[in-house]
Amino acid sequence: MKTIGILGGMSWESTQSYYATINQGIKAELGGLHSAKIVLVSVDFAEIEVLQAEGKWGEAAILLAQAAKQVEAAGADCLLIATNTMHKVADEITSAIDIPLLHIADATAKALLGDGVERVGLLGTRFTMQESFYSSRLINLGVNEVITPSLVEQVEINRIIYDELCCGTVTLASRTLYQNAIKNLKEQGAEAVILGCTEIGLLIQNADSCLPLYDTTAIHAKAAVAFALT
């Protein structure tokens, strides 16, 4: 079994979901007392969030590249960046290490295309929804169209992620807002919706949605399990 490297802490709420989901996947495949071989370096998200807000992506890239080197030095055979937003600096992190990066958008695109989804809605932080680093990668991999919520909805979706979900807070009002955003994406022609922030799965699941949901945390973790067992 290969060792999975995780660059986590962004936020730790979703990092614990990664840890649990990967171990559940290994146990499902191997049975018995098997668990995943994992190296985890968890950063202080408060430091990263300030750099995000100030647009200091270069500084954030340096910080995360240093952490990624720690993951590699500890014996990991691959790296997961356990957050969608910080894949904005995935190229800088990749160039700092010699182990493969399992890109979250690549795994998500594979899942979508495998199910025949061509037009997909995207929920996430404002950076993920508004900038091209994520949606353009999906399109380059074969997804026909990525649809995002209205700017008004994006403000609330982003606020809920940072002010609530990253702090472990889940409310009915926020779930309702996300449900309405998904309904609006459906009206725009979305066939499914990407939960493009690793915390959103803490708030809303398929049973709450009028469209199929693609939880990037679960998808990314599944890709890591497959890598570890090949």
Side-chain angles (χ1 to χ4, degrees):
M1 186 193 310
K2 299 185 183 74
T3 300
I4 299 166
I6 302 176
L7 183 50
M10 300 170 284
S11 68
W12 70 262
E13 295 285 348
S14 62
T15 300
Q16 65 179 346
S17 296
Y18 268 90
Y19 186 81
T21 305
I22 289 171
N23 276 294
Q24 288 162 1
I26 292 293
K27 183 177 180 180
E29 291 293 328
L30 301 181
L33 296 177
H34 284 288
S35 58
K37 295 180 179 179
I38 294 175
V39 171
L40 168 63
V41 172
S42 190
V43 300
D44 181 357
F45 188 40
E47 297 175 0
I48 301 297
E49 190 277 330
V50 169
L51 297 175
Q52 290 177 341
E54 295 178 351
K56 296 180 179 179
W57 296 102
E59 292 184 29
I62 291 170
L63 192 157
L64 294 184
Q66 291 171 342
K69 290 178 182 178
Q70 291 178 297
V71 174
E72 181 177 20
D77 295 304
C78 69
L79 179 70
L80 306 184
I81 306 172
T83 165
N84 287 272
T85 299
M86 295 315 298
H87 279 75
K88 180 176 170 68
V89 296
D91 289 345
E92 292 90 330
I93 294 171
T94 300
S95 67
I97 56 178
D98 294 319
I99 55 176
L101 172 72
L102 304 187
H103 199 292
I104 197 168
D106 294 358
T108 302
K110 183 178 180 180
L112 291 167
L113 296 173
D115 290 341
V117 176
E118 297 183 350
R119 305 183 73 203
V120 67
L122 175 62
L123 303 179
T125 66
R126 63 185 176 91
F127 308 108
T128 301
M129 291 186 290
Q130 294 175 9
E131 300 185 30
S132 63
F133 70 92
Y134 198 90
S135 57
S136 63
R137 192 172 184 106
L138 294 173
I139 290 170
N140 288 339
L141 289 167
V143 176
N144 284 348
E145 185 178 4
V146 178
I147 306 167
T148 53
S150 69
L151 291 178
V152 172
E153 289 175 318
Q154 288 184 26
V155 170
E156 279 301 290
I157 289 167
N158 184 78
R159 181 194 64 78
I160 289 165
I161 290 169
Y162 283 96
D163 294 352
E164 297 179 15
L165 301 182
C166 287
C167 299
T169 301
V170 174
T171 70
L172 179 59
S174 294
R175 181 176 293 120
T176 300
L177 187 144
Y178 272 65
Q179 288 173 315
N180 289 335
I182 291 169
K183 289 177 184 176
N184 292 335
L185 290 170
K186 183 178 181 179
E187 291 176 0
Q188 295 178 66
E191 302 163 355
V193 172
I194 298 170
L195 303 186
C197 172
T198 52
E199 283 80 22
I200 299 177
L202 303 173
L203 176 68
I204 191 165
Q205 291 82 42
N206 273 301
D208 306 309
S209 175
C210 63
L211 287 174
L213 301 180
Y214 285 75
D215 184 343
T216 52
T217 301
I219 292 168
H220 208 194
K222 183 177 180 180
V225 170
F227 177 90
L229 297 180
T230 55

